[in-house]
Amino acid sequence: MSRQTFDPVLRLITSTRIDALLTELKRLDDKMIFAEVHLLESRVYRGIGNLSKSKVRLLQTLYCPPHLQAALDLQSGVLHAEDKDYATAYSYFYETFENMSSQDDPAALNALKYMLLCKVMLNMPEDVTSLLSINLAVKYAQLREIESMRAIALAHQNRNLSDFEKALPDYKQKLSSDPTIRSHLAALYDTLLQQNLLRIVEPYSVVEIGYVAKKVGQGRQDVEAKCTILDKVFHGVLDQGRGCLIIFDELEADNTYGAAIGTLEQVSKVIDSLYAKILSKQQQRRGRNAFSVRSDMES
């Protein structure tokens, strides 16, 4: 949804009327409607990209009935996913899914989709199949919404960009109509492009950029830009003059230097200990000599 979609509601919640409504709800002690208003505010602020205010509205929500708590947990999961905290988001979506499934709430499907999305974004696409085999999820497994997420997960697991690009038009309505899924597709596309590039270049020591671009179906400049970023992921350099990517074997860690430093530190400790003992003996010797001189003088 565009910002314009939320503008009428945004004007309402930023006006004095919403403050008057909340004041009246507090007076009536109607916790459920109070929570629903905060949930609506959170959704609106998230829709216009103001995540900080969206989180604040959720934190202001007090105890509420199970079905409303599930909706709040779902919104909390969405916000954590926006922050790339997919592990925490998954825990919220899982609780929501269990809660909504027990009440036969149709919205449980969304929670399950977001659970699958989190598994993919956590680079754990292989968990999608096992997740869909649990008792609560079985009845949703053949729905087209779930099939679309299964196709995305399989493309991610196989590091196959073409399968991902094929899934987008095949399941366009199911993927694009959900703003939460849609907002993560771009990041997922970049991840798959990176993984696909790695899969192509891994067998080679030198590979032409033109060949890589042809294999991934991308423009040469786009591939060059992506390969520059890949420098942080694998050992290699981009030779733009020759138009190729040079890949090096990953060097095994050499612990010789670290072991030598450790040995020197131990030697230093031994020397310090010996030096301390020598000083102690010298002080004792001086003490005995001073005592002997005093004794001679007294005698």
Side-chain angles (χ1 to χ4, degrees), residues 76-233:
S76 294
V78 169
L79 294 177
H80 280 285
E82 292 285 356
D83 284 338
K84 313 300 181 187
D85 184 2
Y86 295 109
T88 303
Y90 178 85
S91 65
Y92 274 108
F93 292 142
Y94 188 83
E95 286 206 21
T96 302
F97 179 62
E98 282 191 322
N99 193 333
M100 290 182 168
S101 295
S102 65
Q103 303 174 54
D104 292 324
D105 189 331
L109 177 60
N110 284 336
L112 179 58
K113 283 195 305 181
Y114 300 158
M115 287 165 60
L116 303 181
L117 174 68
C118 287
K119 286 295 184 181
V120 173
M121 300 306 292
L122 286 168
N123 290 322
M124 302 168 66
E126 63 279 358
D127 287 357
V128 166
T129 300
S130 59
L131 187 57
L132 291 175
S133 64
I134 64 176
N135 291 335
L136 290 176
V138 169
K139 66 179 181 180
Y140 302 100
Q142 303 306 317
L143 297 179
R144 192 158 177 81
E145 288 88 343
I146 301 303
E147 287 181 356
S148 67
M149 295 308 302
R150 188 187 287 116
I152 294 296
L154 186 60
H156 188 287
Q157 184 174 349
N158 295 332
R159 298 192 298 179
N160 194 315
L161 187 63
S162 61
D163 284 351
F164 177 81
E165 291 177 326
K166 182 177 183 298
L168 294 181
D170 287 352
Y171 300 97
K172 182 178 180 180
Q173 181 181 1
K174 301 303 179 184
L175 294 174
S176 300
S177 62
D178 189 318
T180 300
I181 299 293
R182 188 177 64 245
S183 67
H184 295 279
L185 288 182
L188 187 57
Y189 178 84
D190 285 340
T191 300
L192 278 174
L193 177 57
Q194 175 177 304
Q195 291 184 344
N196 207 42
L197 288 172
L198 287 173
R199 180 175 61 85
I200 292 170
V201 304
E202 277 171 353
Y204 302 98
S205 57
V206 180
V207 59
E208 292 183 352
I209 296 297
Y211 169 77
V212 177
K214 182 178 179 181
K215 294 291 288 184
V216 298
Q218 300 289 315
R220 184 187 181 94
Q221 291 183 341
D222 293 336
V223 171
E224 286 183 354
K226 199 65 180 178
C227 285
T228 302
I229 300 174
L230 286 180
D231 285 346
K232 301 174 183 178
V233 182

Side-chain angles (χ1 to χ4, degrees), residues 270-289:
V270 172
I271 293 174
D272 290 341
S273 177
L274 290 173
Y275 182 68
K277 288 180 179 180
I278 291 172
L279 286 178
S280 178
K281 288 182 178 180
Q282 288 177 346
Q283 290 173 354
Q284 291 175 2
R285 189 179 298 114
R286 290 194 190 100
R288 286 195 298 269
N289 291 340

Side-chain angles (χ1 to χ4, degrees), residues 27-50:
R27 188 182 68 80
L28 296 174
D29 197 26
D30 194 329
K31 293 183 175 63
M32 188 169 74
I33 298 181
F34 192 79
E36 288 177 348
V37 171
H38 278 313
L39 176 59
L40 174 61
E41 286 184 292
S42 178
R43 287 172 175 169
V44 171
Y45 281 122
R46 184 252 172 175
I48 63 173
N50 193 331

